[in-house]
């Protein structure tokens, strides 16, 4: 995985860097054609939001992945694209696994004939063990021998050194040194009956079991043990004078649900230089998801239709680059749609489908928050695992959005660029990213309200001390939860960004300036871990 990233950086470094003097407002000093930005109509966006609302109303109140409301959303998007664009539309399905405990897991140990039943509790301070998200099901009713994996179970060497060999046994592995996912992958490779992870006891906070998520791709049954329980089982397993065995059961619903991504490509433009505009098509189960993130999806649809008709206008300059609009499934469950797409692109060899064919990912998530900010992802603060290649371009994309708000005398704010939306997997794969965000559960500050009121006029300043979206992830995230003024500006800003990028004479060298990338590489050696752990997206402990 890491090798791939380095190769990608390598390819980028080969591009001749012309460093065009593009500020975002001109192309070779010619003003850009801004017909896209000015042609886009807020009503076209609102129309889609009303349709999404109608779908949710007719589908148990939401449009979440794995539900009929989500499927109807995908049908609506595909039908609209077929009717209103000449784009090439592709729907690709991936399997989404359920994870639901059907009953509490059980665990007992037998050491030299002494049976102990261990305590499961959702109160982690009282629990000796806890379930692991995406563990598979298992029932071990005969006594299966325990084996302790040396060190942290992070390398083949650790697993090969275990006595007895872990094949078919229950394996104990201590927290630390690598991600829990890496440990689980090795556990699966060495064919364990169950993986028992345990806390490391390094501080008083590291005694009890913790909640971890091994991700959709996990293939082993697993539990998480307290340090004390883990330690006592390790001592027994390592003591030749004792016989240590385990009985346990983990019963989950892990049914597979096919979930779709939709992408729609312009029929013109170089497929090896693609601009990807992404948004997510699912809502949370709690509500219709009209702001989160119907606003992004609806904007994406309106942009696709407007660009399709402009590009068929004879006097509108054709873009040198292909533009691909995508609607990712299952963002709310951990960026699964975008993650799947990027993972496939890393493996792909078909021209136009490879990760190296992507120049930039613009992400549209929440765009019409009622107590909005004009948030621009802050490209100066890419997550630490971002390859150098993606950094300068991400910062330039931030500046590009800022220039539109500045030209239009509108306020704006930087917003966190921490990888926790669908652009995360692209950025981690070395693709430049950027986008807009109108605010979720953060509180709008007095400073912000004053700034927005001064620049926009009193009532548009919003309300200090309340959240930017009071209906975030709730049933009230309906069409009434949209600030149309804010959404309108966000839509125009996005169209402007796409239009400016599309009209660059050499977008590749603008986004991937060789010298700056080399400087960053010289100062910061590439990070060791590939960013594809679901735990990292959610900030969960991962080692
Ligand atoms: C959604 O569509 C997929 C793919 O066609 C199908 O397998 C699944 O059963 C549908 N889900 C629901 C809840 O209708
Ligand atoms: C980001 O861009 C701004 C404006 O173009 C520039 O002043 C700043 O130095 C850049 N920061 C980084 C970290 O690249
Ligand atoms: C940018 C943004 O905040 N988008 C939100 C869309 O939905 C996901 C999951 O609900 C949130 O985590 C994101 O914050």
């Amino acid at each position: 995985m890491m090798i791939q990233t380095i190769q990608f950086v390598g390819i980028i470094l080969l591009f001749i860097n012309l460093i065009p003097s593009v500020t975002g407002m001109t192309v070779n000093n010619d003003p850009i054609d801004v017909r896209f930005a000015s042609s886009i109509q807020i009503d076209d966006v609102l129309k889609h939001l009303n349709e999404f609302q109608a779908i949710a109303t007719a589908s148990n109140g939401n449009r979440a992945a794995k539900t009929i409301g989500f499927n109807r959303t995908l049908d609506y998007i595909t039908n609209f694209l077929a009717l209103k664009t000449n784009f090439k539309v592709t729907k690709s399905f991936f399997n989404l696994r359920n994870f639901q405990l059907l009953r509490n897991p059980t665990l007992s140990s037998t050491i030299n004939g002494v049976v102990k039943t261990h305590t499961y509790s959702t109160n982690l301070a009282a629990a000796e063990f806890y379930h692991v998200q995406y563990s598979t099901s298992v029932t071990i009713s005969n006594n299966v021998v325990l084996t302790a994996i040396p060190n942290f179970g992070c390398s083949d060497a650790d697993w090969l050194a275990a006595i007895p060999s872990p094949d078919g046994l229950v394996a104990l592995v201590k927290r630390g040194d690598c991600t829990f996912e890496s440990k689980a992958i090795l556990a699966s490779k060495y064919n364990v009956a169950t993986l028992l992870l345990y806390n490391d006891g390094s501080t008083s906070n590291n005694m009890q079991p913790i909640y971890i998520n091994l991700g959709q791709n996990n293939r082993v049954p697993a539990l998480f043990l307290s340090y004390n329980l883990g330690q006592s089982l390790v001592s027994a397993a390592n003591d030749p004078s004792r016989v240590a065995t385990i009985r346990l059961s983990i019963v989950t619903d892990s049914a597979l649900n096919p979930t779709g991504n939709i992408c729609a490509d312009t029929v013109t433009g170089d497929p090896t230089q693609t601009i990807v505009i992404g948004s997510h098509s699912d809502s949370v189960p709690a509500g219709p998801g009209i702001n989160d993130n119907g606003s992004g999806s609806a904007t994406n649809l309106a942009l696709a239709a407007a660009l399709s008709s402009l590009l068929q206008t004879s006097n509108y300059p054709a873009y040198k680059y292909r533009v691909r609009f995508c609607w990712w499934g299952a963002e709310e469950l951990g960026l699964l749609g975008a993650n799947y797409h990027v993972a496939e692109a890393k493996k792909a060899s078909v021209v136009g489908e490879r990760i190296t064919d992507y120049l930039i990912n613009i992400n549209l998530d929440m765009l019409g928050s009622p107590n909005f900010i004009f948030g621009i992802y802050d490209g100066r603060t890419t997550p630490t695992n971002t390859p150098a290649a993606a950094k300068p371009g991400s910062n330039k994309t931030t500046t590009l959005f800022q220039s539109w708000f500045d030209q239009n005398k509108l306020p704006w704010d930087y917003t966190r660029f921490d990888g926790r939306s669908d652009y995360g997997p692209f950025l981690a794969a070395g693709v430049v990213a950027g986008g807009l965000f109108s605010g979720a559960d953060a509180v709008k500050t007095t400073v912000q309200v004053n700034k927005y009121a001064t620049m926009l006029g009193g009532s548009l300043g919003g309300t200090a001390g309340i959240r930017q979206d009071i209906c975030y992830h709730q049933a009230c995230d309906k069409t009434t939860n949209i600030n149309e003024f804010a959404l309108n500006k966000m839509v125009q800003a996005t169209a402007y960004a796409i239009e400016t990028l599309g009209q660059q004479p050499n977008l590749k060298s603008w986004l991937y300036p060789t010298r700056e990338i080399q400087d960053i590489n010289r100062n910061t050696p590439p990070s060791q871990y590939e960013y594809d752990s679901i735990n990292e997206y959610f900030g969960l402990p991962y080692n």
Side-chain angles (χ1 to χ4, degrees):
M1 293 288 219
M2 191 182 135
I3 288 171
Q4 239 167 342
T5 306
I6 287 173
Q7 281 172 343
F8 181 58
V9 173
I11 293 163
I12 297 299
L13 293 179
L14 291 180
F15 302 147
I16 300 157
N17 182 8
L18 304 170
I19 319 181
S21 56
V22 178
T23 61
M25 282 150 279
T26 61
V27 174
N28 287 346
N29 297 325
D30 298 329
I32 62 157
D33 191 321
V34 293
R35 263 181 285 169
F36 185 28
S38 49
S39 74
I40 189 96
Q41 299 293 327
I42 181 68
D43 285 349
D44 293 331
V45 180
L46 296 176
K47 178 180 79 188
H48 300 307
L49 284 177
N50 286 326
E51 294 291 341
F52 290 157
Q53 178 71 61
I55 290 171
T57 307
S59 317
N60 311 311
N62 70 67
R63 302 181 300 106
K66 300 192 281 200
T67 69
I68 187 72
F70 176 70
N71 278 10
R72 288 175 177 156
T73 303
L74 295 195
D75 290 344
Y76 174 78
I77 293 172
T78 6
N79 291 339
F80 176 80
L81 290 168
L83 208 64
K84 291 293 162 84
T85 73
N86 66 344
F87 290 178
K88 182 171 166 267
V89 179
T90 331
K91 215 168 174 180
S92 49
F93 283 89
F94 55 98
N95 275 324
L96 204 57
R97 258 172 73 196
N98 285 352
F99 177 81
Q100 198 191 343
L101 283 180
L102 295 180
R103 52 175 182 267
N104 286 350
T106 60
L107 173 68
S108 69
S109 57
T110 306
I111 295 169
N112 281 0
V114 180
V115 181
K116 276 192 189 158
T117 301
H118 301 292
T119 311
Y120 172 82
S121 171
T122 50
N123 170 11
L124 293 173
E128 285 182 282
F129 73 97
Y130 194 62
H131 69 268
V132 164
Q133 182 88 7
Y134 291 115
S135 165
T136 58
S137 296
V138 71
T139 301
I140 300 180
S141 44
N142 54 333
N143 287 310
V144 169
V145 172
L146 256 182
T147 186
I149 309 303
N151 304 315
F152 296 97
C154 291
S155 65
D156 285 290
D158 291 350
W159 289 80
L160 291 168
I163 301 170
S165 155
D167 192 347
L169 305 188
V170 172
L172 282 157
V173 175
K174 194 179 199 172
R175 173 183 194 174
D177 235 37
C178 63
T179 64
F180 292 123
E181 274 170 308
S182 320
K183 297 174 199 264
I185 288 166
L186 287 164
S188 175
K189 176 172 175 187
Y190 290 97
N191 194 32
V192 302
T194 298
L195 171 64
L196 300 181
L197 295 159
Y198 65 101
N199 214 337
D200 62 9
S202 58
T203 68
S204 58
N205 290 330
N206 285 21
M207 301 302 287
Q208 62 188 39
I210 57 172
Y211 165 76
I212 65 157
N213 184 340
L214 287 178
Q216 289 269 326
N217 295 326
N218 174 52
R219 291 292 169 265
V220 286
L223 292 171
F224 205 104
L225 278 47
S226 68
Y227 171 71
N228 287 341
L229 178 57
Q231 200 52 42
S232 70
L233 294 178
V234 167
S235 317
N238 286 340
D239 179 351
S241 73
R242 290 193 276 176
V243 180
T245 61
I246 287 291
R247 274 184 278 182
L248 61 88
S249 79
I250 305 169
V251 186
T252 69
D253 163 16
S254 54
L256 295 175
N257 302 274
T259 302
N261 283 333
I262 299 171
C263 289
D265 301 342
T266 55
V267 291
T268 53
D270 181 356
T272 71
Q273 301 189 71
T274 295
I275 298 171
V276 187
I277 318 296
S279 58
H280 72 80
S281 46
D282 59 324
S283 75
V284 288
I290 294 302
N291 185 29
D292 182 7
N293 294 286
S295 54
S297 281
T299 298
N300 218 8
L301 271 177
L303 290 170
L307 186 61
S308 173
S309 51
L310 259 183
L311 289 175
Q312 292 175 74
T313 311
S314 58
N315 62 354
Y316 186 72
Y319 298 171
K320 222 173 111 182
Y321 317 101
R322 180 175 67 173
V323 184
R324 167 171 280 185
F325 294 88
C326 294
W327 291 262
W328 313 120
E331 189 260 15
E332 302 289 2
L333 300 174
L335 317 182
L336 302 179
N339 229 346
Y340 171 79
H341 185 88
V342 168
E344 290 297 299
K346 283 170 150 183
K347 287 186 275 183
S349 53
V350 176
V351 172
E353 300 306 322
R354 301 161 303 186
I355 193 75
T356 48
D357 296 327
Y358 289 152
L359 295 183
I360 182 168
N361 173 228
I362 301 281
N363 190 56
L364 307 175
D365 207 319
M366 301 167 67
L367 298 180
S369 306
N371 198 26
F372 67 92
I373 55 165
F374 289 127
I376 303 173
Y377 290 139
D378 186 355
R380 300 168 306 175
T381 60
T382 49
T384 49
N385 41 23
T386 306
K391 290 183 181 181
S394 298
N395 188 32
K396 284 176 142 173
T397 305
T398 305
T399 312
L400 174 62
F401 279 112
Q402 286 164 2
S403 69
W404 186 84
F405 286 95
D406 288 342
Q407 284 167 51
N408 288 281
K409 306 207 167 21
L410 294 167
W412 53 268
D413 281 287
Y414 285 118
T415 182
R416 59 186 183 160
F417 194 51
D418 52 13
R420 289 189 200 179
S421 186
D422 291 309
Y423 64 88
F426 286 90
L427 194 57
V431 178
V432 165
L436 299 174
F437 175 56
S438 61
D441 50 1
V443 164
K444 195 161 181 180
T445 64
T446 308
V447 173
Q448 284 172 324
V449 168
N450 290 342
K451 178 171 78 179
Y452 283 65
T454 307
M455 296 185 76
L456 304 175
S459 64
L460 288 169
T463 312
I466 68 165
R467 284 174 295 157
Q468 291 151 358
D469 181 355
I470 46 166
C471 287
Y472 181 57
H473 285 185
Q474 295 178 41
C476 61
D477 186 5
K478 300 183 181 176
T479 34
T480 45
N481 191 42
I482 290 289
N483 184 306
E484 291 183 17
F485 169 82
L487 180 57
N488 188 24
K489 299 300 179 195
M490 294 299 235
V491 171
Q492 288 175 354
T494 309
Y496 167 83
I498 297 170
E499 190 157 48
T500 310
L501 295 169
Q503 293 179 52
Q504 292 302 317
N506 194 340
L507 185 57
K508 206 175 250 183
S509 56
W510 190 70
L511 289 174
Y512 298 89
T514 316
R515 179 83 58 77
E516 283 174 54
I517 294 169
Q518 278 170 343
D519 285 349
I520 297 170
N521 270 329
R522 247 195 305 279
N523 297 329
T524 49
S527 100
Q528 264 221 293
Y529 290 103
E530 179 71 4
Y531 184 87
D532 57 7
S533 148
I534 190 172
N535 291 344
E536 291 178 52
Y537 295 131
F538 292 115
L540 296 173
Y542 66 95
N543 63 26

